[in-house]
């Protein structure tokens, strides 16, 4: 899969309408993400990072432009087809964790598997495996209120990995965490990418961006710089 | 759509959100209970008022003897007109619109004895028609005086509720022998504890009724004290009253216009006012019921509304990890249906238990006599549940519909 284009955006625009005011959060973004890449998106607050990530993750659809996921044109997909892509091909990690507050870690990780109609036995095994993968095997029955921020985010990563997606999208995953927990999270992303998973991280933190192989800088809804970090990383 | 998936997720979430669900259930049950009890007690009151009103009898007229005040066909005025025991049969024949009719005797201060209880009481001589005309309804285990009793001049007695208590206390009276005017009588029945709002000859609760033929045989009264009759249709009361007067005038030769020759009093004119009053009570209870229902509905809607933010996020999260719109909607629908049915059923059962319990409270009280026994109506229960359920559904379902129709990112941003 390595080297094949996974994500391709051409002149993607996204406008939000608030009352009669229209605001263009993305003003024509061109971006290609090859499978297996480790990419960071940086930029000032309000520059459109989350909007871009939501479009990539099919949580939102572009207003205009062309978006292809694995060669398939996403613009024209039905809401059910989008739901299925989010379910099986994308793993999303949010800054605010977005766990179901009433459910345990186990149950939260189980949700995407339920929607993918994975059988009960396989489901349980998969949840256990993913929780172990993020180091939470002993927190399976904890609810979000009974976990630290780092643990909640690891639960969210386990959930994102549940259906073995093609791409992991993390929108400021360490934004609500102390630096130590944040580092543990980034280390998980490093490992995932090392194992071949495509990972995209939005971050403010130059250190975290430094872990990735390419950095895209967004400003006012367009990509300002698009730089290969591999050289620098190798130089480090 | 994969129903198994939806049900799976639904059951899991349902068990997890006990607090919110319990609250909604309670609000629904509460609304159902308060309205059903309110209307149930209203219905009981209504029924009881009707019974009380008919305690003396519904749509009947009472006739008694008088004195002529106008000379007629050579006969002078001041002539007494008395009622003869054959008159009821004669009138029934002459006035076809009479449904029931019977002659009645009264005697006060008659010695009535059971074992060592000696009382001085009001004795009436009546016919089986009193059961319908005058609400002489027997309690379970006893009967009213019947035609055989009258034909064979049996010495049987039907006791008013209070008199029975004064004679027998808690003891069972039916089948026992009592002495009336030194003659042994068998008690065949005891009247139900009815409320009587009017009377023409004392309260039915305090009398002992015997067949009028037996009465005449024992006391030897030459004339009936009154005749009671009831037309088939209350609306014909005036016509029947005129017919009776004319027939009696023809038989006893007095001027049909002579108001004093016979006394008549009917119990039909109050019917309309009474029905208006009942209608007033019903409208009043209807308004209160409507307001209660509205408040309960607001309660249900409020619980739904309060959780919109939480639930919108929940929907956003589920959609973000791959739930299809239909999964969300079916889950919300199932939840609303189960809560509605659960709360409604619970409310209805509780109302039933409470009203049945109330009916079994063994207290004797005039207030209770007046309130009657609450009667719950399943139709009203269903209407209440439908309305509350609809309010809950609308206030919960529409936000869910909206949240599942916009993109997940939108729902996740919802504040
Ligand atoms: N759903 C929305 N409705 C209206 N405006 C939005 C919406 N989402 C984002 N925006 C606006 O678009 C701009 C970009 O937002 P966002 O992508 O969240 O920026 P970033 O993640 O880089 O901070 C901001 O000005 C934000 O207020
Ligand atoms: Mg953002």
């Amino acid at each position: 899969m390595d080297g094949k284009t996974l994500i391709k955006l051409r002149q993607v625009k996204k406008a939000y309408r608030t009352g009669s005011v229209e605001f263009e959060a993305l003003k024509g973004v061109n971006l290609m993400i090859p499978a297996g890449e480790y990419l960071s998106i940086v930029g000032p607050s309000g520059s459109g990072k989350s909007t871009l990530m939501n479009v990539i993750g099919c949580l939102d659809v572009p207003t205009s432009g062309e978006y292809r996921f694995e060669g398939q044109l996403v613009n024209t997909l039905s809401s059910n087809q989008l739901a299925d892509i989010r379910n099986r091909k994308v793993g999303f990690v949010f800054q605010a964790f977005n766990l179901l507050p009433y459910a345990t870690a186990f149950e939260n990780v189980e949700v995407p598997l339920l929607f993918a109609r994975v059988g009960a036995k396989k489901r349980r095994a998969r949840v256990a495996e993913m929780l172990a993968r993020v180091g939470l095997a002993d927190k399976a029955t904890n609810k979000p209120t009974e976990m630290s921020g780092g643990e909640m985010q690891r639960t969210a990563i386990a959930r994102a990995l549940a259906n073995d997606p093609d791409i992991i999208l993390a929108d400021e995953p360490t934004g609500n965490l102390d630096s130590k927990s944040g580092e543990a999270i980034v280390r998980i992303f490093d490992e995932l990418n090392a194992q071949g998973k495509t990972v995209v991280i939005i971050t403010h933190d130059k250190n975290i961006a430094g872990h990735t192989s390419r950095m895209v800088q967004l400003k006012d809804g367009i990509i300002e710089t698009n730089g290969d970090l591999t050289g620098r990383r190798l130089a480090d | 759509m994969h129903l198994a998936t939806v049900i799976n997720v639904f059951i899991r979430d349902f068990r997890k959100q006990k607090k919110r669900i319990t609250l909604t259930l309670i609000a629904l049950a509460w609304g159902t209970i308060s309205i059903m009890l309110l209307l149930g007690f209203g219905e009981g009151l209504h029924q009881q008022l009707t019974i009380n009103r008919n305690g003396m009898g519904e749509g009947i007229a009472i006739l008694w003897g008088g004195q002529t005040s106008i000379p007629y066909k050579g006969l002078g005025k001041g002539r007494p007109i008395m009622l003869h025991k054959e008159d009821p049969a004669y009138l029934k024949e002459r006035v076809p619109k009479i449904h029931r009719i019977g002659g009645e005797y009264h005697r006060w201060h008659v010695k009535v004895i059971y074992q060592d209880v000696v009382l001085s009481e009001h004795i009436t001589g009546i016919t089986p028609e009193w059961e319908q005309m005058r609400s002489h309804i027997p309690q379970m285990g006893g009967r009213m005086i019947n035609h055989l009793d009258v034909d064979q001049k049996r010495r049987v007695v039907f006791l008013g509720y209070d008199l029975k208590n004064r004679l027998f206390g808690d003891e069972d009276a039916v089948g026992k022998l009592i002495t009336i005017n030194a003659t042994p009588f068998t008690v065949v029945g005891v009247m139900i504890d009815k409320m009587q709002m009017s009377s023409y000859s004392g309260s039915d609760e305090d009398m002992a009724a015997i067949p009028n033929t037996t009465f005449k045989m024992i006391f030897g009264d030459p004339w009936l004290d009154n005749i009671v009759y009831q037309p088939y249709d209350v609306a014909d009361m005036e016509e029947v009253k005129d017919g009776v007067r004319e027939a009696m005038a023809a038989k006893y030769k007095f001027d049909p216009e002579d108001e004093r020759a016979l006394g008549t009093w009917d119990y039909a004119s109050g019917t309309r006012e009474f029905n208006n009053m009942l209608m007033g009570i019903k409208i009043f209870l209807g308004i209160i019921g409507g307001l209660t229902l509205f408040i309960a509905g607001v309660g249900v809607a409020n619980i739904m509304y309060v959780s919109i933010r939480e639930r919108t996020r929940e929907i956003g999260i589920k959609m973000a990890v791959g739930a299809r719109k239909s999964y969300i909607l079916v889950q919300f629908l199932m939840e609303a249906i189960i809560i509605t049915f659960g709360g409604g059923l619970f409310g209805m059962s509780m109302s039933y238990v409470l009203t049945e319990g109330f009916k079994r409270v063994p207290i004797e009280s005039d207030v209770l006599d007046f309130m009657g026994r609450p009667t719950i109506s399943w139709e009203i229960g269903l209407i209440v549940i439908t309305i509350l359920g609809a309010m809950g559904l609308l206030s919960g379902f529409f936000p869910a519909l909206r949240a599942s129709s916009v993109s997940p990112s939108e729902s996740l941003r919802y504040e």
Side-chain angles (χ1 to χ4, degrees):
Chain A
M1 205 160 180
D2 220 45
K4 218 177 109 196
T5 302
L6 185 64
I7 302 286
K8 188 174 176 189
L9 284 82
R10 263 195 52 211
Q11 280 304 308
V12 165
K13 295 184 179 175
K14 177 72 191 178
Y16 292 112
R17 179 175 284 283
T18 323
S20 60
V21 189
E22 202 178 71
F23 177 79
E24 210 168 43
L26 296 180
K27 296 173 176 152
V29 170
N30 295 300
L31 181 66
M32 266 173 53
I33 305 176
E37 193 178 37
Y38 198 2
L39 176 73
S40 56
I41 299 176
V42 298
S45 182
S47 58
K49 304 183 297 293
S50 294
T51 305
L52 176 60
M53 196 69 125
N54 288 340
V55 168
I56 295 173
C58 297
L59 293 181
D60 222 334
V61 285
T63 315
S64 70
E66 194 183 289
Y67 173 32
R68 287 180 186 276
F69 189 101
E70 291 178 345
Q72 192 174 28
L73 196 60
V74 170
N75 306 57
T76 56
L77 294 182
S78 71
S79 82
N80 280 353
Q81 286 170 314
L82 289 174
D84 291 349
I85 290 184
R86 291 194 296 268
N87 185 225
R88 289 152 202 264
K89 306 206 164 179
V90 176
F92 222 105
V93 179
F94 304 89
Q95 178 176 359
F97 318 130
N98 282 338
L99 297 174
L100 295 174
Y102 53 82
T104 62
F106 187 98
E107 288 160 341
N108 268 294
V109 177
E110 196 183 16
V111 177
L113 293 161
L114 280 165
F115 291 129
R117 298 187 294 282
V118 176
K121 213 174 139 192
K122 214 176 143 198
R123 211 162 62 216
R124 275 193 291 274
R126 183 75 186 158
V127 174
E129 187 191 338
M130 288 306 107
L131 282 175
R133 171 80 190 70
V134 297
L136 285 180
D138 56 338
K139 302 278 179 182
T141 57
N142 286 33
K143 288 188 178 177
T145 47
E146 300 156 352
M147 288 190 273
S148 69
E151 286 165 345
M152 285 196 266
Q153 197 58 299
R154 281 187 277 157
T155 305
I157 294 173
R159 177 179 66 186
L161 292 172
N163 280 327
D164 193 20
D166 298 336
I167 186 166
I168 297 286
L169 303 172
D171 187 348
E172 301 195 42
T174 62
N176 286 1
L177 303 178
D178 59 79
S179 58
K180 200 162 157 263
S181 322
E183 247 161 63
I185 296 295
V186 175
R187 223 170 296 126
I188 296 174
F189 289 125
D190 290 351
E191 282 166 27
L192 286 169
N193 180 253
Q195 287 158 12
K197 205 89 31 241
T198 314
V199 177
V200 181
I201 300 183
I202 293 178
T203 183
H204 277 309
D205 189 333
K206 293 277 183 226
N207 275 333
I208 294 173
H211 284 246
T212 65
S213 50
R214 181 160 66 114
M215 186 173 84
V216 165
Q217 189 161 16
L218 223 60
K219 202 182 168 195
D220 290 336
I222 46 167
I223 291 181
E224 201 178 50
T225 56
N226 188 346
D228 191 351
L229 299 175
T230 324
R232 204 178 79 189
R233 225 175 137 203
L234 286 174
D236 276 353
Chain B
M1 202 192 64
H2 298 262
L3 201 62
T5 307
V6 182
I7 292 175
N8 222 332
V9 176
F10 169 69
I11 292 172
R12 217 194 66 165
D13 287 0
F14 203 83
R15 284 209 305 254
K16 286 282 158 188
Q17 306 191 38
K18 286 193 197 90
K19 204 161 122 196
R20 187 177 50 79
I21 287 164
T22 311
L23 273 175
T24 324
L25 274 171
I26 289 173
L28 246 155
W30 181 259
T32 313
I33 290 174
S34 27
I35 294 159
M36 287 191 74
L37 286 189
L38 179 72
L39 297 186
F41 276 86
E43 179 62 22
L45 180 66
H46 178 183
Q47 285 179 4
Q48 192 64 26
L49 277 175
T50 311
I51 291 171
N52 290 347
R53 140 101 190 165
N54 294 343
M56 198 198 68
E58 173 68 2
I60 58 171
I62 296 115
L63 191 66
W64 63 94
Q67 263 190 349
T68 59
S69 59
I70 306 172
Y72 184 68
K73 292 192 176 165
L75 298 164
K77 63 179 184 178
R79 188 164 47 91
I81 304 293
M82 306 299 246
L83 302 176
H84 191 264
K85 71 177 167 64
E86 309 301 340
D87 288 347
Y90 162 77
L91 285 173
K92 175 109 175 85
E93 200 171 300
R94 289 288 299 267
V95 187
K97 284 191 171 169
I98 290 178
H99 183 198
R100 301 188 177 94
I101 188 164
E104 182 175 27
Y105 298 103
H106 294 278
R107 184 153 299 215
W108 279 267
H109 313 300
V110 178
K111 200 182 262 184
V112 177
I113 306 171
Y114 174 68
Q115 292 176 349
D116 50 359
V117 185
V118 181
L119 302 170
S120 175
E121 294 301 325
H122 173 201
I123 308 294
T124 61
I126 58 165
T127 70
E129 280 75 23
W130 260 243
E131 181 162 351
Q132 283 85 28
M133 288 199 298
R134 293 272 287 96
S135 299
H136 280 33
I137 298 159
Q139 288 180 355
M140 294 270 285
R143 65 169 176 86
M144 234 296 266
I145 284 157
N146 63 25
H147 285 289
L148 273 178
D149 298 333
V150 175
D151 291 348
Q152 301 180 0
K153 302 177 188 159
R154 284 178 177 162
R155 286 191 302 272
V156 292
V157 61
F158 182 72
L159 294 176
Y161 184 83
D162 280 1
L163 178 54
K164 179 261 162 191
N165 284 343
R166 281 186 285 123
L167 277 174
F168 290 89
D170 290 338
E171 203 181 315
D172 206 2
V174 175
K176 303 275 164 57
L177 278 181
I178 62 171
T179 330
I180 298 173
N181 201 28
T183 312
F185 275 76
T186 306
V187 179
V188 291
V190 177
M191 199 185 301
I192 56 163
D193 182 16
K194 67 176 182 181
M195 236 283 304
Q196 187 178 348
M197 297 209 280
S198 48
S199 80
Y200 57 88
S201 60
S203 166
D204 291 344
E205 292 182 322
D206 287 314
M207 54 88 234
I210 63 176
N212 60 5
T213 51
T214 315
F215 190 102
K216 185 167 173 60
M217 181 178 73
I218 288 176
F219 295 103
D221 287 23
W223 315 109
L224 289 169
D225 286 297
N226 29 54
I227 289 173
V228 178
Y229 59 86
Q230 182 179 42
Y232 283 98
D233 186 346
V234 196
D236 294 332
M237 185 58 94
E238 289 308 314
E239 185 188 333
V240 170
K241 268 162 70 180
D242 289 346
V244 166
R245 180 166 291 275
E246 277 158 26
M248 293 300 276
K251 184 173 177 184
Y252 293 103
K253 302 199 169 40
F254 62 85
D255 189 337
E257 305 298 313
D258 189 344
E259 295 283 336
R260 302 261 183 91
L262 282 177
T264 314
W265 186 70
D266 74 81
Y267 205 64
S269 44
T271 305
R272 245 182 62 188
E273 282 154 43
F274 182 72
N275 285 344
N276 285 345
M277 185 182 85
L278 279 189
M279 186 53 77
I281 291 176
K282 276 185 164 172
I283 291 173
F284 175 70
L285 287 177
I287 290 172
I288 295 197
L291 288 177
T292 313
L293 187 62
F294 179 73
I295 289 167
V298 168
V300 172
N302 187 46
I303 293 169
M304 292 292 185
Y305 183 77
V306 162
S307 58
I308 283 182
R309 187 181 165 271
E310 214 174 284
R311 305 225 77 187
T312 302
R313 275 193 88 77
E314 176 189 333
I315 291 170
I317 292 170
K318 284 181 175 167
M319 304 258 310
V321 300
R324 293 180 175 187
K325 180 178 172 181
S326 54
Y327 293 3
I328 304 288
L329 292 185
V330 172
Q331 184 186 349
F332 268 74
L333 269 176
M334 287 201 293
E335 190 184 297
I337 288 168
I338 286 183
I339 289 177
T340 307
F341 272 83
L345 226 63
F346 179 71
M348 293 229 278
S349 327
M350 280 305 289
S351 314
Y352 183 75
V353 168
L354 286 174
T355 46
E356 286 300 305
F358 186 81
K359 279 188 215 172
R360 282 176 176 70
V361 174
I363 33 174
E364 280 303 327
S365 140
D366 289 344
V367 176
L368 285 192
D369 277 356
F370 204 81
M371 273 181 69
R373 299 306 193 190
T375 315
I376 58 166
S377 144
W378 300 115
E379 290 91 341
I380 287 175
L382 278 183
I383 292 171
V384 168
I385 290 171
T386 309
I387 292 177
L388 290 183
M391 286 181 87
L393 189 65
L394 295 188
S395 51
F397 187 72
F398 275 119
L401 182 64
R402 214 197 55 193
S404 61
S405 301
V406 300
S407 62
S409 67
E410 192 85 5
S411 300
L412 287 174
R413 279 172 60 101
Y414 187 87
E415 286 304 328

